[in-house]
Amino acid sequence: MAEETKKPYSSLDAKPNADSLVKPGELVDLVEVTPLTLNDRRIYNLMLEHAWEDIDKPVVHHVSKATLRGSHNSNDRIGDSVERLMRAIVKVSVLKDGEPAIERVQLLGGNIELEQADGMFYYEIPQALRRIIKNSTVFARLQKEVMFALSSKYALTLYEMVQKRGNLRFKSSDKFTLDELRGILGVPKGKLTTWSNLQLRALTPAVDEVNALSDYDVTITPYKEGRRVAGVILAWNRKNAAGQSAVDRELEFSKVGRKARRAGRVDAVVETPQIDTVKPRPAWLARAGQALRTETYETAKLRFPGYDIYHVESEWRNWSRDKEPPKDPDKAYLAFFRSFAERNQL
């Protein structure tokens, strides 16, 4: 009997969860003909997440505008991003009849946005892109908390590139020409044209952020052809337990002062008052127990956009009233929030 051919693992077999989403590898290493912003990329990733169960089918998907909006109060940025995504043409590396090829596709099809502030957004994935996603066998798993913590589109793209490659068993580096790297990063034409500017303005800050907030230690090393820098070698190594603990601590802190902490100037910002990123805790909740740390509320708002963080705190305190007090109330609250969000999806 002939040996049964093993079916290749499909990206569609991977599933999003409360903490992470799945992005096909072809959409990680695509080249933007029309450059997108950091917010565009985040919103598009959330659209992929909410469409994932039927993303290869010709159906209309939907997601709440509150989810796409995240911590921003205005829906204007959603509309701007949607229109840029509809205009965006990208180049995707594919195989055509077994041969390497470039396919140009649109990222987003027709859509409807309900006018009310808390309404739904309905959208379609273009047919050509559905086919690419259906045939995908390599993907990146993106932690949503990290995606929202990264502060530039270059850092987010680098993070996606590393997450796509991090689980490869026999590979820990990849080589890119400068043109390839600029295309994947979405550097606008005419910008960062010299190696020194590209390194200073895009690569070094992106590497610093990804190293501070992701599961991997990342390096980008230039290589030359003659006297000219021709490209880079991207290398990655998974962090050990101590490194991962440092990442977890950094993600719990406010974004305020993050750049200074990476540069070793923590003392200069420790006493800086926190920016009001969440509304004040209501007085009625004070009767239920002592307030949690400000960083905990900010983390909850970042991890679970669209939810009322104080309503969930009330639910958590009611649930835990007859239970043994937790050793770490802040961690217990965030763990409960994760379960609450899974049960009560927006």
Side-chain angles (χ1 to χ4, degrees):
M1 182 181 295
E3 184 177 348
E4 184 179 352
T5 302
K6 187 176 180 180
K7 180 184 175 183
Y9 189 84
S10 169
S11 295
L12 294 177
D13 294 330
K15 301 300 179 186
N17 56 43
D19 297 320
S20 67
L21 56 89
V22 177
K23 189 168 188 177
E26 291 80 359
L27 301 189
V28 170
D29 287 350
L30 56 75
V31 174
E32 297 176 0
V33 178
T34 310
L36 300 172
T37 69
L38 171 64
N39 200 51
D40 299 343
R41 288 172 177 248
R42 287 172 173 166
I43 284 178
Y44 192 66
N45 285 347
L46 293 173
M47 288 183 186
L48 293 177
E49 177 194 13
H50 283 265
W52 194 251
E53 285 299 319
D54 297 307
I55 199 167
D56 59 331
K57 300 178 178 61
V59 299
V60 177
H61 310 284
H62 65 277
V63 59
S64 71
K65 290 198 291 185
T67 296
L68 298 181
R69 187 172 61 238
S71 59
H72 298 289
N73 295 323
S74 172
N75 289 321
D76 294 345
R77 300 180 72 172
I78 297 176
D80 292 342
S81 289
V82 165
E83 289 166 13
R84 278 191 294 269
L85 289 166
M86 290 184 72
R87 293 193 299 266
I89 303 294
V90 298
K91 295 189 290 187
V92 183
S93 297
V94 297
L95 291 176
K96 179 67 174 178
D97 299 326
E99 297 292 330
I102 297 296
E103 184 167 359
R104 293 174 179 84
V105 297
Q106 291 177 286
L107 287 178
L108 185 63
N111 54 82
I112 298 175
E113 177 187 351
L114 298 188
E115 291 188 353
Q116 54 263 45
D118 58 350
M120 302 297 292
F121 178 76
Y122 298 86
Y123 59 102
E124 299 177 45
I125 304 296
Q127 180 181 3
L129 196 58
R130 295 200 306 268
R131 174 175 41 77
I132 291 171
I133 293 172
K134 185 174 183 178
N135 294 331
S136 175
T137 58
V138 179
F139 64 91
R141 182 169 291 279
L142 310 180
Q143 298 298 317
K144 286 185 279 189
E145 184 176 11
V146 176
M147 181 179 78
F148 284 108
L150 295 168
S151 66
S152 79
K153 74 171 187 176
Y154 301 131
L156 177 55
T157 306
L158 178 62
Y159 171 64
E160 293 181 3
M161 293 169 69
V162 173
Q163 290 299 109
K164 170 187 172 180
R165 294 164 170 82
N167 288 325
L168 296 176
R169 293 182 60 189
F170 304 110
K171 191 173 184 179
S172 59
S173 66
D174 217 340
K175 194 173 184 178
F176 301 88
T177 67
L178 289 188
D179 285 344
E180 288 172 338
L181 187 63
R182 284 193 180 95
I184 295 172
L185 291 175
V187 178
K189 287 185 178 181
K191 301 291 186 181
L192 308 182
T193 54
T194 66
W195 162 248
S196 59
N197 279 342
L198 180 66
Q199 183 183 40
L200 179 65
R201 303 293 184 186
L203 299 182
T204 298
V207 168
D208 287 346
E209 277 207 90
V210 171
N211 282 338
L213 299 172
S214 82
D215 297 338
Y216 293 90
D217 289 316
V218 180
T219 60
I220 292 182
T221 307
Y223 68 85
K224 292 185 176 182
E225 292 178 357
R227 300 176 63 182
R228 180 181 67 90
V229 174
V232 302
I233 297 172
L234 169 66
W236 57 89
N237 286 291
R238 186 175 287 276
K239 286 184 169 74
N240 57 24
Q244 186 57 59
S245 294
V247 168
D248 292 341
R249 289 195 300 273
E250 184 59 40
L251 287 170
E252 288 183 0
F253 284 124
S254 166
K255 286 185 179 181
V256 179
R258 182 166 285 159
K259 186 174 181 180
R261 287 195 294 274
R262 289 201 304 271
R265 303 194 306 272
V266 179
D267 291 341
V269 297
V270 167
E271 299 302 326
T272 301
Q274 296 294 327
I275 292 177
D276 241 347
T277 56
V278 295
K279 62 184 180 182
R281 188 173 187 250
W284 61 264
L285 193 52
R287 296 191 295 270
Q290 186 176 357
L292 302 171
R293 293 185 301 167
T294 301
E295 293 87 348
T296 300
Y297 293 122
E298 292 177 342
T299 298
K301 192 172 183 64
L302 181 68
R303 288 183 182 177
F304 311 104
Y307 291 87
D308 184 330
I309 58 175
Y310 298 125
H311 168 72
V312 177
E313 181 186 355
S314 176
E315 293 290 312
W316 166 63
R317 292 191 182 278
N318 288 334
W319 173 81
S320 60
R321 184 174 299 154
D322 299 326
K323 297 176 175 59
E324 184 177 348
K327 294 181 180 179
D328 189 330
D330 298 270
K331 286 187 177 180
Y333 164 67
L334 292 174
F336 176 87
F337 211 138
R338 182 183 298 111
S339 299
F340 181 90
E342 289 175 349
R343 295 192 307 269
N344 301 274
Q345 292 188 5
L346 295 176

